[in-house]
Amino acid sequence: MGKQAYIDERERRLAFDPRCAENYARYRRARRTPNLDYLPVKLDIENVSRCNFRCTMCQVSDWAKGKRADDLPIGEFTRLIDEQYGLVEIKLQGIGEPLLGAPELFDMIRYVRERHIWVRLTTNASLLHLKENYKHLIDSDPNEVQISIDGATKDVFEGIRRGSRFETVMDNCKKINAYSRERGVRRTKMWTVVQAGNVHQVPDLVELAAELGFTSMVFSLDIGDWGQQSWQDRNGAAMANSGIAPELAERLVMRGRELGVTVAFWTIADKYDWMDESKLCPWPFERAYISSDQRVVPCCMIANPETYELGDAKNLPEVWTGETMQAFRAAHISGALPDICRNCYVEH
């Protein structure tokens, strides 16, 4: 993990496939225009849109039996990877819990890594113990595995991550981190969504990260609204980023250093601005989200084609250069933003 590791892997990817290198060069030269002459350089690919948790801040809670659509067949996944030769990075996960798609998930990771594409995913860690998934996951060689830990005690954790078993998740984190050390690799990162229900435990979570064997953790200070007003109301009320003052953040970083844990914070510090080309949302111009039923969605903040869809991912090259995507990009450039995007932009 780390910035240099990412850069090194990208260079290997560009050397591996001359078409990718040419595509990436066109991407780097391009201006933000509706009609692009390059393929996406990144994709979020959802292998499953079903989950065994019903987290309070996640739209899965609204879905019948925690499922929106069928899983992505591995044959369609490999076809997409082969077709999208411009890729340097993917996130192999969407709304669902990716390990529900095991063991095919591990084959997907290996297929991508054989082509030197950087791959990361997020897991709730509840299934890592089954059939030694924690070993199979690390052995498939993902570049980064984010593990969601939203409480330092059983009552807080299970109150937010409904359907979970605190003890199982804690034990599984210890298993995957111990196995990573045994293999001599660093792949895991603890990820906490700070919210009203857990902000009082922020110092405890740094201690927990060390206890579980993590060497890196992130406090996410933003909660998305999935492009839906109902979720904007719910998650807006749960926001607690003001609960981490600069002085507290500094103490958390210092305590992390004492424990051997790198503590970082993620937030949308500045909203996008359509009046400044350098501050446009990068998603329409470099990547897309592919749902498990192979529909193109604008971004991971929406993550649901039922909310907003841009086309059929089975024809992604045509969608990427087609009229719908061109109009979507033009809306970002002109400021005539779709409603789902307005919350991420400065109001003028």
Side-chain angles (χ1 to χ4, degrees):
M1 295 193 300
K3 183 177 181 180
Q4 191 57 51
Y6 179 87
I7 293 171
D8 291 344
E9 193 63 29
R10 185 178 64 198
E11 292 306 307
R12 284 189 283 269
R13 170 62 178 164
L14 299 180
F16 177 82
D17 191 336
R19 299 174 303 166
C20 184
E22 181 182 350
N23 187 78
Y24 195 75
R26 290 199 301 270
Y27 156 71
R28 292 295 301 271
R29 290 194 302 265
R31 295 196 58 187
R32 300 305 202 208
T33 62
N35 189 12
L36 305 179
D37 66 349
Y38 56 87
L39 292 173
V41 296
K42 304 174 184 178
L43 285 179
D44 281 30
I45 305 175
E46 180 183 66
N47 69 317
V48 301
S49 60
R50 54 191 174 103
C51 191
N52 55 337
F53 286 6
R54 304 291 183 271
C55 299
T56 56
M57 61 285 193
C58 182
Q59 61 183 317
V60 170
S61 300
D62 287 345
W63 298 347
K65 298 182 180 180
K67 176 181 177 179
R68 190 194 59 77
D70 290 338
D71 298 351
L72 176 66
I74 190 168
E76 288 300 303
F77 174 83
T78 57
R79 181 197 61 78
L80 178 64
I81 295 299
D82 291 344
E83 173 191 81
Q84 294 301 309
Y85 57 80
L87 293 174
V88 299
E89 174 191 337
I90 70 165
K91 181 183 180 186
L92 184 48
Q93 185 256 340
I95 289 297
E97 165 51 43
L99 281 160
L100 286 171
E104 288 80 7
L105 171 68
F106 309 132
D107 293 332
M108 291 178 175
I109 295 172
R110 280 190 287 268
Y111 193 81
V112 172
R113 294 297 297 122
E114 287 168 358
R115 288 150 182 78
H116 297 290
I117 298 171
W118 182 276
V119 59
R120 61 187 175 94
L121 67 152
T122 300
T123 175
N124 62 32
S126 65
L127 307 174
L128 289 174
H129 62 294
L130 298 178
K131 300 181 180 179
E132 296 191 317
N133 279 335
Y134 68 95
K135 290 185 178 180
H136 299 306
L137 179 56
I138 294 301
D139 290 345
S140 65
D141 195 32
N143 299 92
E144 184 175 318
V145 178
Q146 296 177 355
I147 298 181
S148 300
I149 304 293
D150 292 327
T153 56
K154 180 179 177 68
D155 58 332
V156 172
F157 185 92
E158 293 182 0
I160 292 172
R161 305 192 71 76
R162 296 175 301 195
S164 65
R165 287 192 72 252
F166 179 72
E167 297 85 358
T168 298
V169 172
M170 297 303 103
D171 188 55
N172 284 347
C173 288
K174 292 177 182 178
K175 280 184 168 69
I176 194 171
N177 286 327
Y179 186 66
S180 295
R181 289 193 300 272
E182 179 184 322
R183 288 286 315 280
V185 298
R186 294 177 60 185
R187 296 289 183 267
T188 64
K189 178 181 292 184
M190 181 167 134
W191 191 276
T192 297
V193 178
V194 178
Q195 50 201 284
N198 65 12
V199 67
H200 63 289
Q201 292 194 331
V202 162
D204 299 326
L205 283 157
V206 177
E207 305 292 328
L208 180 63
E211 179 185 334
L212 297 178
F214 288 100
T215 59
S216 177
M217 71 174 302
V218 174
F219 288 109
S220 173
L221 306 180
D222 284 291
I223 311 177
D225 61 16
W226 313 114
Q228 301 167 50
Q229 184 62 51
S230 62
W231 279 103
Q232 184 175 335
D233 295 340
R234 274 184 273 185
N235 285 345
M239 290 278 283
N241 54 356
S242 60
I244 301 186
E247 297 80 10
L248 174 57
E250 185 175 350
R251 290 201 303 272
L252 297 173
V253 171
M254 293 295 293
R255 180 57 178 157
R257 287 176 184 165
E258 293 172 356
L259 296 170
V261 179
T262 300
V263 177
F265 302 86
W266 183 87
T267 184
I268 303 175
D270 297 305
K271 291 196 172 187
Y272 301 125
D273 189 343
W274 63 268
M275 295 187 72
D276 183 341
E277 181 180 316
S278 67
K279 295 182 179 179
L280 290 174
C281 171
W283 274 81
F285 305 95
E286 69 179 32
R287 73 192 301 169
Y289 179 108
I290 309 302
S291 66
S292 68
D293 50 349
Q294 300 182 74
R295 297 153 74 183
V296 183
V297 182
C299 70
C300 65
M301 302 297 283
I302 306 303
N304 185 349
E306 311 302 335
T307 300
Y308 202 100
E309 181 179 354
L310 291 166
D312 185 353
K314 293 179 181 178
N315 301 306
L316 184 54
E318 290 81 2
V319 172
W320 184 251
T321 58
E323 293 182 1
T324 300
M325 276 297 299
Q326 289 188 42
F328 186 70
R329 294 188 191 103
H332 283 256
I333 294 168
S334 69
L337 297 162
D339 289 341
I340 61 160
C341 299
R342 293 188 181 279
N343 197 42
C344 290
Y345 273 84
V346 174
E347 291 187 17
H348 286 287

